[in-house]
Structures are given as C-alpha cells and as structure tokens.
C-alpha cells in the first residue's frame, strides 16, 4: 500500500525550503551591495547563508540566476517612488532623490556590471522603461505644452535630467549636498521646459538636441 504523506509534513518541508532560499537571497544581496559581481563567490554565499554551494545551485541554478533574483528582490524593496502631483517639479525631484539616496550607488554598480553579465540586462531595461514611464506621468503637464518633435525631444531631456548618472555626478563626483544637488536638477528641468533660456538665446531643448550625436 502506498504511503500517503501527511499534509503538515509537506508544509514543514516547504517552509524549510523557503527559509533556505530566503537566507541565500539575503546573503547574496548583502555581498553584492558591498562589492562587484566578480568579487564574491558562491562559497561565500553558502557560508553566509549557513548552507552548501550544492544547495545554492540546486535552488537557483547558477550564480547569474542568483544575482538576477537578488536584483529583483532589491528593486522590489527599495525602488518605489512617492506619488507626486503631475507637474510639481520640486516634489518629483525630491521623490527621485529619495530613491537614489537609498539605491543609487547600487544601481550604478548594476549598470557597470551590465556588459559583463547579460543576465542583468532584462531587469535594467525594465528599470529604464519604468523611469521613462514615470517621467511621462509626473511631467505630463510640461510635455503637453509641446507639440510633435518638440514634445519627444523634451521627454528625452527630462529623462536624462532625472537619470541616476546625473545624481551620481552631483552627489558623488562633485560631492554636493543634497539640497544643492536637488536645486540643480530642478533648474535643469525648469530650464528645459521653458520656451527660452534666460539670456534669450535658442531654446534649451534645441541646444541639447544639437549636441546629441546623430543616430
């Protein structure tokens, strides 16, 4: 007679497996946030999560798949934006800075690793698309003031002006305080959305467009 496994035994086993997976994922996140992909090993992940390399591979399949899962978890935990009224530039800049101050360095690290690790590309591409969708939504009143090619160009400028690399340049490379850095990002956005720059020369959108390499 075939022995029927008791439901509580299966539940306990599933809970144990999920706990092991969570420990491995937490270990990978902790290691990855402190160094690049190349600088930590599955042996370290296994040791930190109190399991074996064989178990890590059984659960996630490969180091790349583990990293991919860790990135997804990190993004889910820390990459949310506070709702802001459409057209409120100051609130939008504060919201994006809240994210960058928490996750910006890690995002830059992901981007640096992207070429070496193709498995990172889907999640990073999704991040780019999410950012562009956010720009379209939060700056919708500014974009509606433009028509056709002007609107498309302004969207590109606002996408760039709020990018994580702008945050890095201001906060890390130039070591500006957050208020000063936010003020510069606000000025970039407001300048791009105005019809003309302060000195009466060509519109800022046109100036930026002229400096972009031909596609």
């Amino acid at each position: 007679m075939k022995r029927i496994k008791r439901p509580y035994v299966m539940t306990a086993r599933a809970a144990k497996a999920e706990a092991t997976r969570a420990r491995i994922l937490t270990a990978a996140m902790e290691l990855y946030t402190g160094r690049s992909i190349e600088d930590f090993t599955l042996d370290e992940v296994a040791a930190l999560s109190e399991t074996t390399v064989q178990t890590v591979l059984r659960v996630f399949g490969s180091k790349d798949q583990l990293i991919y899962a860790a990135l997804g978890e990190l993004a889910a935990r820390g990459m949310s934006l506070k709702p802001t009224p459409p057209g409120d530039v100051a609130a939008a800049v504060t919201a994006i800075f809240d994210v960058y101050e928490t996750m910006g360095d890690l995002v830059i690290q992901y981007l640096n690793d992207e070429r070496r690790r193709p498995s990172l590309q889907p999640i990073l591409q999704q991040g780019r698309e999410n950012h562009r969708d956010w720009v379209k939504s939060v700056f919708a009143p500014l974009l509606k003031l433009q028509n056709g090619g002007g609107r498309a160009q302004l969207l590109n400028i606002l996408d760039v002006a709020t990018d994580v690399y702008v945050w890095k340049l201001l906060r890390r490379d130039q070591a500006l305080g957050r208020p000063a850095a936010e003020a510069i990002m606000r000025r970039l956005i407001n300048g791009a959305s105005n019809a003309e720059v302060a000195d009466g020369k060509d519109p800022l959108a046109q100036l930026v467009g002229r400096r972009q390499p031909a596609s």
Side-chain angles (χ1 to χ4, degrees):
M1 179 181 294
K2 185 176 181 180
R3 184 178 180 181
I4 300 175
K5 297 181 179 179
R6 298 179 181 180
Y8 76 86
V9 174
M10 296 301 293
T11 300
R13 185 176 297 171
K16 183 178 179 180
E18 182 57 33
T20 299
R21 185 182 188 280
R23 289 201 316 274
I24 295 169
L25 204 53
T26 298
M29 288 188 288
E30 181 177 333
L31 289 167
Y32 187 57
T33 54
R35 64 188 82 175
S36 69
I37 289 175
E38 305 298 337
D39 294 335
F40 78 84
T41 66
L42 291 182
D43 287 316
E44 290 177 300
V45 173
L48 192 58
S49 59
E50 300 180 346
T51 188
T52 64
V53 172
Q54 289 77 9
T55 298
V56 173
L57 291 173
R58 176 172 54 80
V59 174
F60 289 96
S62 68
K63 183 179 177 180
D64 280 350
Q65 289 301 315
L66 171 59
I67 291 167
Y68 186 85
L71 296 189
E73 182 68 18
L74 283 165
R77 291 184 183 185
M79 290 299 287
S80 59
L81 282 161
K82 294 178 182 177
T84 59
D88 189 332
V89 173
V93 170
T94 295
I96 200 70
F97 262 72
D98 284 345
V99 171
Y100 291 157
E101 293 292 317
T102 302
M103 300 285 291
D105 292 318
L106 189 59
V107 172
I108 293 295
Q109 185 169 308
Y110 299 165
L111 293 169
N112 290 339
D113 288 336
E114 183 176 17
R115 289 187 178 181
R116 293 180 296 160
R117 295 283 176 173
S119 62
L120 300 180
Q121 291 176 358
I123 195 169
L124 290 173
Q125 183 58 33
Q126 184 62 57
R128 295 183 182 103
E129 293 173 5
N130 291 344
H131 180 75
R132 194 169 181 85
D133 287 343
W134 173 80
V135 170
K136 289 179 181 178
S137 175
V138 77
F139 298 122
L142 304 180
L143 293 166
K144 287 179 181 178
L145 297 176
Q146 302 290 328
N147 295 310
R151 181 181 297 178
Q153 189 175 67
L154 179 57
L155 173 60
N156 287 335
I157 294 171
L158 295 175
D159 198 357
V160 171
T162 55
D163 190 76
V164 67
Y165 279 112
V166 173
W167 169 86
K168 176 182 179 293
L169 176 65
L170 297 172
R171 294 285 281 133
R172 297 296 183 250
D173 300 350
Q174 297 183 3
L176 296 178
R178 177 169 172 172
E182 286 194 28
I184 290 174
M185 185 175 284
R186 289 196 301 271
R187 189 169 182 180
L188 288 172
I189 294 167
N190 289 325
S193 59
N194 288 337
E196 294 185 349
V197 292
D199 62 7
K201 295 182 180 179
D202 290 345
L204 181 59
Q206 294 179 15
L207 293 173
V208 174
R210 290 174 186 172
R211 293 174 183 175
Q212 291 179 338
S215 56

